[in-house]
Amino acid sequence: MFRLDPFLIGLICTIFLATVLPCHGAAVPVFQWLAILVIALMFFLQGARLSRKAVVDGVMAWRLHLIILACTFVLFPLLGLAAHALMPGLLQNDVWLGVLFLCCLPSTVQSSIAFTSIGGGNVPAAVCAATASNIAGIFITPFLVGLVLSKHGGASGNVMNIVFQLLLPFILGQLLQPWIGKWAHRNKKLLSFTDRGSILIVVYTAFSEAVMQGLWHRLPLSQLGLIALVDFLLLVCVLSDYGLW
């Protein structure tokens, strides 16, 4: 019997809530700080839960890191250009620019770790790979955007934000792991809450901003459906190529 994943239901409800009751005004910085705190707590708990050996093994998984970097900064931009060349009239021009820009960006460290943890994957390797791709993206993404969109832009990230908001809590958790590691293992529900909660808060905040800027008035539902289709096809292509590797 087919059953929707509870987290997927939560995402749908979050988008609906942001549509009918978006955060705005004084509530925006509150949700932004709440997201930062929950994400920091998630990385702290991951650091406290993981053994030192698991972290070292994750750092040494260089083949995985190279594949992720290649997918992020080579495969995705090429697939985006190919999709635009094959279907230039499928989306509005401004929307295509957004899709191509998205293809040049690394995934956020927070979502990479959260989804890896939810899926029971290799969290230490994900921490290392996502951090490396985000730091590299600060320098590579503007160059790629210049090539793909024929425009020039500034750096798309901040190394210090990654260090203080993500790596520092993780390192602190690692330092305290000998004392609180067993407690972190016993309280997996708290880790699960921070994994899913951080994504839901970020989605709510980002979608609220889009709604306040007139998302539903500026883009017809048909365009939103086509955007979802293009994103889905890009993801399928990347996952298929990764499976071949």
Side-chain angles (χ1 to χ4, degrees), residues 86-109:
L86 292 172
M87 304 174 290
L90 184 65
L91 301 175
Q92 298 173 6
N93 187 54
D94 288 345
V95 176
W96 265 124
L97 290 178
V99 171
L100 292 174
F101 181 70
L102 179 65
C103 289
C104 297
L105 292 172
S107 66
T108 63
V109 180

Side-chain angles (χ1 to χ4, degrees), residues 42-239:
M42 178 187 72
F43 274 82
F44 173 77
L45 292 174
Q46 290 287 4
R49 187 178 68 89
L50 296 169
S51 67
R52 203 64 48 83
K53 181 180 182 301
V55 174
V56 172
D57 289 343
V59 173
M60 299 303 293
W62 60 270
R63 290 185 180 86
L64 174 64
H65 303 326
L66 288 179
I67 290 174
I68 291 174
L69 287 172
C71 286
T72 302
F73 298 117
V74 179
L75 184 58
F76 258 119
L78 290 177
L79 287 174
L81 287 172
H84 180 257
L86 292 172
M87 304 174 290
L90 184 65
L91 301 175
Q92 298 173 6
N93 187 54
D94 288 345
V95 176
W96 265 124
L97 290 178
V99 171
L100 292 174
F101 181 70
L102 179 65
C103 289
C104 297
L105 292 172
S107 66
T108 63
V109 180
Q110 166 258 334
S111 62
S112 299
I113 308 313
F115 282 122
T116 301
S117 177
I118 292 171
N122 188 338
V123 173
V127 171
C128 299
T131 302
S133 65
N134 271 261
I135 293 176
I138 293 171
F139 307 99
I140 297 176
T141 294
F143 173 73
L144 287 176
V145 170
L147 289 177
V148 173
L149 303 184
S150 300
K151 294 181 180 179
H152 299 282
S156 62
N158 190 310
V159 175
M160 298 311 295
N161 284 341
I162 296 174
V163 171
F164 284 110
Q165 295 178 17
L166 308 179
L167 291 185
L168 195 60
F170 183 83
I171 293 171
L172 181 60
Q174 270 287 288
L175 293 175
L176 296 177
Q177 198 268 342
W179 295 278
I180 65 174
K182 292 182 179 179
W183 173 85
H185 274 282
R186 289 196 304 268
N187 291 272
K188 289 184 178 180
K189 287 186 177 180
L190 179 59
L191 181 60
S192 176
F193 170 78
T194 57
D195 287 341
R196 291 160 172 79
S198 61
I199 293 176
L200 294 178
I201 293 171
V202 170
V203 168
Y204 175 71
T205 306
F207 213 86
S208 292
E209 182 179 356
V211 170
M212 294 302 295
Q213 292 179 0
L215 169 67
W216 300 115
H217 302 290
R218 296 169 61 181
L219 282 176
L221 287 176
S222 59
Q223 277 290 294
L224 291 174
L226 290 172
I227 292 171
L229 176 62
V230 170
D231 289 344
F232 174 76
L233 292 176
L234 288 172
L235 182 60
V236 168
C237 289
V238 171
L239 292 177

